[in-house]
């Protein structure tokens, strides 16, 4: 698995920081994206420039730089200022700044998990960030990670595909003006390290016309330059000294020749010369896959040693490009007694859309060699990849729970698209509103017993089938408790209590509250509601066993007890022995890892909640209208009446739903219990299905089938465009099937894992499996 950590750094300053986006990619697919800010560090660049100035003033034998170096003595030791630069880098990247901490921790986590086998790419147009020696950060040194650089904005150009699998890499080696330096040593190293592996064409003290002819007329894999070079002050341009009299720039002299060479397969440019950031900036605009330059002036001996160490790791040991530079950098430490900070100089620039270069990759070319392969062998590869993808997704889903938030969002989205069933005619809601509390409650918070007793008496006078009182009243409130107690003793009046649980502290009330003492035991229910981790109510907890510490001993939810009382006269059989059974429907409860749930608190019996309507679940009247007889008697007669508080400012909790997440649209408990009661009645009368998940084996099977479909998709479609269109259509069709099964049968299919499996296997197949075409009548398949 190829892991890349990409830091996209926008324009900013060392005084105020730099906006940054971190992307973690696996096999080219972004799985994590975080935004933050590189912390301010007003001294870091100034310290680096001081190091540069002191280092230049000392002079180290002969530099590979165009302008003359003058040796001026200094009393400041380079080691002291270099230690200061390293300290500043560590302080900067170890900063506890909250805008950068999450990004830094994510990078550390990726390096830790991958054991350092990670590609770290710094994308920025800020040249000062290119100049800083990022590799000095202690964590990069610990995990042997080599930071590479790229411009922030890049394009992916189409290439003329002329490369094929080959036995030798073609290298164009340019030896420029060698005044006071030994460029022949570089050529000897090239020939020695590439002996038998590369075809090297050498241009010595050439001119721009000859160089352009070579670039235009032949194919090259590597461009190598050794000699004198420099960059202008703003690093927008680099200068190469081809011979004693001619200096050239890429923009003015080589732009079109290099563009042609890159289109024909040039993948790596190495400038083993001084001060190469300007060269890298110019060359990166041409979209070359990789560049190696020197950050500052480099002594001749250091340049020779770097080339030797790099080529040994890259060509002889088969390390990747950035790993080879890291190896060479570490070996350069042996020269630092003589040439302080020699290991700081190499810098790698890489095009973000290219995989890290390797010697074998250069030999293989852009495409694999044409080979015949059987259909069965290809299908075996697809099945193997599908098995691995399915196992990974299943582990991520039920072992880690990483997919739960996304699956819940898709579930909520689908619920919002369900047909609205309108008001349930079997129910009437009596809401105690804000105005009711202001009018009838002395303190504006709790209704006195006498008012509550009057409301219940008014309802009972019109012969409701059952009344659910979603108001906890375990102690007298005001006057009239005896009158209220007489009402609470009625056999068709269901009261509520609060069981309480370890989850209630997030709601702000952990306590447990008993049922009204006057209420018969068979009429007692609880009003507790199951809430998901994101605060949304998606489950219906209709039965549970309270703990011994709970003051509420009720085992049935208000919704269940109301539904059972209503169904008693409907000639619909009900059973609560083991599993709840209403009519022919058996309610099998959710377990702790079912569907999109991971580590669910599955205490009691609970199912997915099916909301009846996005508008009003039932006809509604206020307490004031009830007491003033502003209603039709038939609204009450033989109906289920649910009374409760619906005032936003009351102490009663309000709940987020898949429909309403903002505060003004949250639902009160009385409305939620109405939805739950309506759900039970609808299932019992076969008006609506019971929402449920597939058994675990069914989910796994569907994920596997989707994964195989992704591989088959790549097998049948040739071009990237057709694959993208086909994949999009496949996902849309999958969701349409999911929606149909959900709306008709109430079954929640694993759509998100299915879609991920399809895309993941298609990506693997497109990148590592042969693309096939069926050939009639020979029944053979060819790699295109």
């Amino acid at each position: 698995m190829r892991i890349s950590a990409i830091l996209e750094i926008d324009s900013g300053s060392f005084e105020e920081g730099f906006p940054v986006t971190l992307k973690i990619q696996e096999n080219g697919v972004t799985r994590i994206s975080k935004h933050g800010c590189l912390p301010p560090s007003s001294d870091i660049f100034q310290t680096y420039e001081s190091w540069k100035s002191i280092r230049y003033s000392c002079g180290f034998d002969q530099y590979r730089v165009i302008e003359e170096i003058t040796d001026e003595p200094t009393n400041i030791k380079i080691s002291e200022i270099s230690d200061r630069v390293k300290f500043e880098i560590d302080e900067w990247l170890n900063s506890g700044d909250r805008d950068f901490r999450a990004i830094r921790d994510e990078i550390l986590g990726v390096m830790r998990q991958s054991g350092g086998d990670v590609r770290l790419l710094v994308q920025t147009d800020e040249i000062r960030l290119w100049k800083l020696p990022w590799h000095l950060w202690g964590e990069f040194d610990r995990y042997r990670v080599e930071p590479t650089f790229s411009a922030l904005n890049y394009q992916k150009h189409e290439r003329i595909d002329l490369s094929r699998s080959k036995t030798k890499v073609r290298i164009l080696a340019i030896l420029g003006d060698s005044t006071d330096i030994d460029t022949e040593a570089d050529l000897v190293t090239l020939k020695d390290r590439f002996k038998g592996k590369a075809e090297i064409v050498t241009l010595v003290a050439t001119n721009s016309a000859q160089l352009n002819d070579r670039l235009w007329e032949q194919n090259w894999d590597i461009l190598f330059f050794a000699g004198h070079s420099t960059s202008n002050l703003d690093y927008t341009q680099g200068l190469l000294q081809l011979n004693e009299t001619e200096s050239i720039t890429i923009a003015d002299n080589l732009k079109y020749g290099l563009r042609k060479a890159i289109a024909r397969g040039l993948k790596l440019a190495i400038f083993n010369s001084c001060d190469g950031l300007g060269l890298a900036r110019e060359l990166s605009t041409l979209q070359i896959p990789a560049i190696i330059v020197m950050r500052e002036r480099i002594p001749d001996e250091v340049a020779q040693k770097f080339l030797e160490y790099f080529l040994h790791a890259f060509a002889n040991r088969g390390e990747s490009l950035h790993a080879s530079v890291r190896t060479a950098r570490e070996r350069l430490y042996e020269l630092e007694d003589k040439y302080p900070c020699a290991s700081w100089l190499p810098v790698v620039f890489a095009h973000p859309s290219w995989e890290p270069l390797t010697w074998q990759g250069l030999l293989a070319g852009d495409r694999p060699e044409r080979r015949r392969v059987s259909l069965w062998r290809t299908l075996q590869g697809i099945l193997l990849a599908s098995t691995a993808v399915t196992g990974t997704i299943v582990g991520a889903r039920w072992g880690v729970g990483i997919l739960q938030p996304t699956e819940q969002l898709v579930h909520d989205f689908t619920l919002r698209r369900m047909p609205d069933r309108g008001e349930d005619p079997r129910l009437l809601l009596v809401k105690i509103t804000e105005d009711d509390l202001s009018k009838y409650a002395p303190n504006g918070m709790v209704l006195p017993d006498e008012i509550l007793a009057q409301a219940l008496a008014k309802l009972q006078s019109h012969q409701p089938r059952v009344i659910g009182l979603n108001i906890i009243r375990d102690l007298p409130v005001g006057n009239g408790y005896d009158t209220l107690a007489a009402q609470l003793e009625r056999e068709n009046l269901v009261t509520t209590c609060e069981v309480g649980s370890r989850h209630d502290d997030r709601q702000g009330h952990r306590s447990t509250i008993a049922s009204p003492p006057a209420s018969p035991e068979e009429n007692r229910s609880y009003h507790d509601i199951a809430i998901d981790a994101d605060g949304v109510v998606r489950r219906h907890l209709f039965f549970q066993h309270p703990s011994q510490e709970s003051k509420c001993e009720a085992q049935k939810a208000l919704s269940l007890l109301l539904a059972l009382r209503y169904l008693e006269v409907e000639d619909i059989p009900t059973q609560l022995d083991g599993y709840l059974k209403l009519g022919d429907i058996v309610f099998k409860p959710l377990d702790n890892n079912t569907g999109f749930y991971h580590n669910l608190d599955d205490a009691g019996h609970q199912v997915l909640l099916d909301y009846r309507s996005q508008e009003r679940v039932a006809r509604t009247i206020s307490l004031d209208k009830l007491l003033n007889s502003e209603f039709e008697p038939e609204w009450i007669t033989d109906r289920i009446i649910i009374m409760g508080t619906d005032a936003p400012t009351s102490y009663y909790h309000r709940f987020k739903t898949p429909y309403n997440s903002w505060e003004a649209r949250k639902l009160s408990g009385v409305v939620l219990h109405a939805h739950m009661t309506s759900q039970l009645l609808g299932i019992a009368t076969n008006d609506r299905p019971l929402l449920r998940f597939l058994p675990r084996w069914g989910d796994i099977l569907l994920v596997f089938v989707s994964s195989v479909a992704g591989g088959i998709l790549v097998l049948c479609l040739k071009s990237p465009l057709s694959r993208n269109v086909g994949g999009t259509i496949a996902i849309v069709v999958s969701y349409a099937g999911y929606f149909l099964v959900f709306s008709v049968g109430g079954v929640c299919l694993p759509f998100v894992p299915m879609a991920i499996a399809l895309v993941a296997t298609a990506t693997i197949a497109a990148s590592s499996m042969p693309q096939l075409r069926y050939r009639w009548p020979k029944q053979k398949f060819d790699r295109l």
Side-chain angles (χ1 to χ4, degrees), residues 212 215-216 250-251 253-261 286:
N212 268 300
L215 293 174
W216 274 92
I250 290 175
N253 304 97
L254 299 180
K255 177 179 179 180
Y256 296 105
L258 283 169
R259 179 178 291 174
K260 187 68 173 181
L286 302 180

Side-chain angles (χ1 to χ4, degrees), residues 471-531:
I471 299 175
I472 299 177
R473 190 57 61 94
D474 60 335
L475 297 172
V477 178
N479 299 322
Y481 176 75
D482 293 339
T483 305
L484 176 61
Q487 291 291 337
L488 296 178
E489 292 174 354
R490 301 283 292 267
E491 63 177 339
N492 69 336
L493 180 65
V494 176
T495 60
T496 56
C497 58
E498 183 173 311
V499 174
S501 73
R502 60 180 177 274
H503 302 294
D504 288 341
D505 55 343
R506 186 181 55 75
Q507 303 176 25
H509 49 281
R510 188 184 180 90
S511 61
T512 173
I513 305 175
S515 302
S519 176
E521 186 175 345
E522 63 273 12
N523 287 351
R524 297 177 180 179
S525 67
Y526 63 81
H527 78 162
D528 298 69
I529 292 174
I531 305 174

Side-chain angles (χ1 to χ4, degrees), residues 680-700:
L680 295 175
L681 295 178
I683 293 170
T685 56
N686 294 318
D687 293 333
R688 58 208 287 191
L690 170 64
L691 297 188
R692 61 196 185 279
F693 296 112
L694 287 175
R696 192 171 300 183
W697 63 265
D699 277 359
I700 296 174

Side-chain angles (χ1 to χ4, degrees), residues 172 174 203 208-220 222-223 248 253-264 266:
L172 178 60
I174 307 162
L203 295 177
S208 59
Q210 291 177 341
L211 177 55
N212 268 300
D213 286 343
R214 295 284 184 165
L215 293 174
W216 274 92
E217 294 173 3
Q218 298 183 40
N219 302 333
W220 308 102
I222 298 175
L223 174 70
I248 64 171
N253 304 97
L254 299 180
K255 177 179 179 180
Y256 296 105
L258 283 169
R259 179 178 291 174
K260 187 68 173 181
I262 293 168
R264 296 168 70 95
L266 178 63

Side-chain angles (χ1 to χ4, degrees), residues 45-84:
F45 192 72
Q46 295 176 3
T47 305
Y48 177 83
E49 287 293 293
S50 298
W51 166 84
K52 174 181 172 181
S53 176
I54 294 171
R55 179 176 177 270
Y56 284 8
S57 67
C58 289
F60 297 107
D61 294 333
Q62 298 301 319
Y63 282 106
R64 295 188 172 193
V65 68
I66 291 175
E67 65 263 24
E68 182 182 355
I69 303 300
T70 59
D71 294 344
E72 298 179 4
T74 177
N75 294 324
I76 303 177
K77 294 181 180 179
I78 293 181
S79 60
E80 295 178 359
I81 191 68
S82 61
D83 288 343
R84 183 63 187 175

Side-chain angles (χ1 to χ4, degrees), residues 157-164 166 170 212-222 256-268 286-289 354 362 365-367:
H157 290 295
E158 292 295 328
R159 302 185 306 279
I160 302 173
D161 187 11
L162 299 177
S163 59
R164 290 290 184 268
K166 46 190 176 287
R170 300 200 77 236
N212 268 300
D213 286 343
R214 295 284 184 165
L215 293 174
W216 274 92
E217 294 173 3
Q218 298 183 40
N219 302 333
W220 308 102
D221 298 300
I222 298 175
Y256 296 105
L258 283 169
R259 179 178 291 174
K260 187 68 173 181
I262 293 168
R264 296 168 70 95
L266 178 63
K267 297 181 180 64
L268 173 61
L286 302 180
Q287 317 305 321
I288 189 170
W354 282 83
L362 291 175
D366 287 340
R367 298 189 305 180

Side-chain angles (χ1 to χ4, degrees), residues 397-401 404 590-602 693-694 696 699:
R397 192 187 196 209
W398 289 322
V400 182
Q404 179 171 318
L590 304 175
D591 59 37
N592 65 335
N593 279 309
T594 182
F596 50 67
Y597 281 111
H598 167 68
N599 280 346
L600 176 70
D601 182 2
D602 59 352
F693 296 112
L694 287 175
R696 192 171 300 183
D699 277 359

Side-chain angles (χ1 to χ4, degrees), residues 732-743:
V732 171
V733 170
S734 297
Y735 181 78
Y738 163 73
F739 185 87
L740 180 64
V741 172
F742 184 85
S743 58

